[in-house]
Amino acid sequence: MKSLLPGNLNLNYLKSGKGYPVVLIHGMGSDHTVWEGLVPLLMENYETLSLDLRGHGHSSKTGGPYNIELFAEDVYLFLKSQNIDQAHFIGHSMGGLILQELAVKHSERFKSLTLISSFACIDPPLREVLINLRDILTGEGYEAFFDECLKIANTPRFIRKNRDLFSKIQDENAKICSVSSITDTINACLDVELCLNDKLRRNLNPTDSIKDIRTPTLVIAGDEDVFTPIHHGMRIHESIPNSQMKIIAGGCHNLLVEKPFETYLVIKRFLDAL
C-alpha cells in the first residue's frame, strides 16, 4: 500500500492485524521487510504499520539532502494521512533516532516508544563505521555495501546458517535500491554529530533534548552488537527519565531478524504493563 504525502511523496507501507496501532520504523538502507519476524507476533494483538522511509524500499526515491528531522516529519505526515492520533512506536537503529526526534516534537502521538539497537548521537567509532559504509557504497557498489552491512549487523553463525536467504535478499534489494538515497541517508546520520556542539541547531538533534521525553520508553540492545554497542542504548536509557533497558544475550544489531521471538517477548512484557 502507498500513502501520498505533500510534495508527491509516496510512502510504501504494510498494514497487518487489528487492534491498537503499532508503527514500525526501519533503519538505514533497510525497508519494511526487516520486520517480517516480528509482525506475525505483534499482529495477534495489534494493528501493525511498517513503513518504507523516503529513499528506501518501494517509497519515493527523492533527491537529497536528507536529515533526521525530514524523516521524522514524513512519519508525522503519514500518521495524519492514516488518521492515527496516537500509537505505539518501535524503531530499529536509525529508525529509533527518527522516533526520538518525533517524540520530542510530537509527544502527544506516542502511547509508548521502543528503541531497538538504536543510538542518539554519532560517536567516533560509529562515525568511522558509517564513513566506511559510505565509501564502500559509492566506490564499490550496493552489493559490496550489503555484504559489509551483513557482517556488522549479524553474528557470523547466523550468516553461515542463512547464506542462501541473504543472497536472495541482496538480489531483490539491488533491483529497487537507490545508491544516492542510501548515501544521503548515511550523511543524515553523520550530520547528527555536527549538531552536538551547535546549540542553535539543537532542535534538529534529539540527543540534546531526549531528556524531555516523558513517553514510556523501552530500550533494547544486544550484547554482541558491534554496530551500535550497548553503551549507545545506555546513553539513551540514562537520558530519558523512567525508561527501561533490556539486554538480550547473544543478540546482535539485527535483533529483530536474528532473535525475533526473544525481542517480541521483551516488547510484549513492556506493552502489557502499560
Side-chain angles (χ1 to χ4, degrees):
M1 303 174 68
K2 290 197 175 182
S3 178
L4 182 62
L5 303 184
N8 290 322
L9 174 66
N10 264 311
L11 286 190
N12 182 62
Y13 69 99
L14 177 67
K15 183 184 292 188
S16 305
K18 293 182 179 180
Y20 198 85
V22 177
V23 178
L24 308 170
I25 306 298
H26 65 76
M28 176 200 75
S30 187
D31 61 28
H32 75 277
T33 60
V34 76
W35 301 102
E36 287 179 347
L38 272 181
V39 164
L41 300 170
L42 288 168
M43 62 184 285
E44 292 182 7
N45 298 295
Y46 299 96
E47 177 185 73
T48 64
L49 299 98
S50 46
L51 283 64
D52 290 344
L53 295 169
R54 77 160 66 209
H56 293 72
H58 291 281
S59 289
S60 298
K61 307 298 193 298
T62 61
Y66 296 168
N67 56 56
I68 299 304
E69 185 181 44
L70 176 66
F71 286 126
E73 181 66 12
D74 288 346
V75 177
Y76 175 69
L77 292 174
F78 172 80
L79 297 175
K80 293 181 68 175
S81 75
Q82 299 296 308
N83 297 314
I84 297 175
D85 293 327
Q86 195 175 64
H88 297 296
F89 291 83
I90 305 177
H92 176 240
S93 194
M94 183 193 76
L97 179 63
I98 293 167
L99 291 180
Q100 291 169 66
E101 174 78 13
L102 190 64
V104 168
K105 293 187 174 179
H106 298 287
S107 61
E108 74 282 356
R109 298 279 175 170
F110 284 73
K111 180 71 172 178
S112 74
L113 171 62
T114 297
L115 306 170
I116 303 173
S117 306
S118 195
F119 55 95
C121 69
I122 307 296
D123 61 5
L126 182 53
R127 177 177 174 80
E128 184 177 341
V129 169
L130 291 172
I131 290 175
N132 182 54
L133 286 174
R134 184 180 62 186
D135 289 345
I136 291 173
L137 177 65
T138 57
E140 303 177 42
Y142 177 77
E143 287 78 6
F145 167 80
F146 183 93
D147 288 339
E148 185 64 20
C149 288
L150 200 64
K151 287 193 301 182
I152 61 178
N154 303 275
T155 59
R157 58 185 177 274
F158 190 72
I159 296 173
R160 288 193 300 269
K161 187 177 179 181
N162 295 278
R163 287 194 183 278
D164 290 343
L165 172 62
F166 284 127
S167 179
K168 179 181 178 183
I169 294 173
Q170 182 185 51
D171 290 343
E172 291 175 348
N173 287 356
K175 296 175 184 176
I176 62 172
C177 80
S178 165
V179 169
S180 62
S181 292
I182 299 175
T183 303
D184 287 333
T185 302
I186 296 173
N187 288 334
C189 291
L190 289 169
D191 282 346
V192 172
E193 184 189 33
L194 299 178
C195 298
L196 289 179
N197 297 315
D198 184 351
K199 298 305 180 184
L200 296 177
R201 296 178 60 199
R202 63 182 295 176
N203 65 312
L204 298 180
N205 175 38
T207 305
D208 290 330
S209 50
I210 60 174
K211 66 180 183 299
D212 297 324
I213 293 176
R214 295 297 182 267
T215 301
T217 301
L218 170 65
V219 181
I220 306 175
D223 66 357
E224 295 187 26
D225 189 347
V226 298
F227 195 161
T228 52
I230 289 176
H231 68 265
H232 282 281
M234 288 299 300
R235 175 171 182 158
I236 297 171
H237 171 51
E238 291 168 359
S239 298
I240 299 179
N242 302 315
S243 62
Q244 304 176 32
M245 182 165 183
K246 300 295 181 182
I247 298 172
I248 296 181
C252 60
H253 189 70
N254 268 347
L255 276 173
L256 64 170
V257 175
E258 194 158 334
K259 291 184 175 291
F261 187 68
E262 293 90 332
T263 304
Y264 166 72
L265 289 180
V266 172
I267 295 172
K268 184 178 186 301
R269 284 193 288 268
F270 169 64
L271 295 181
D272 286 350
L274 295 178

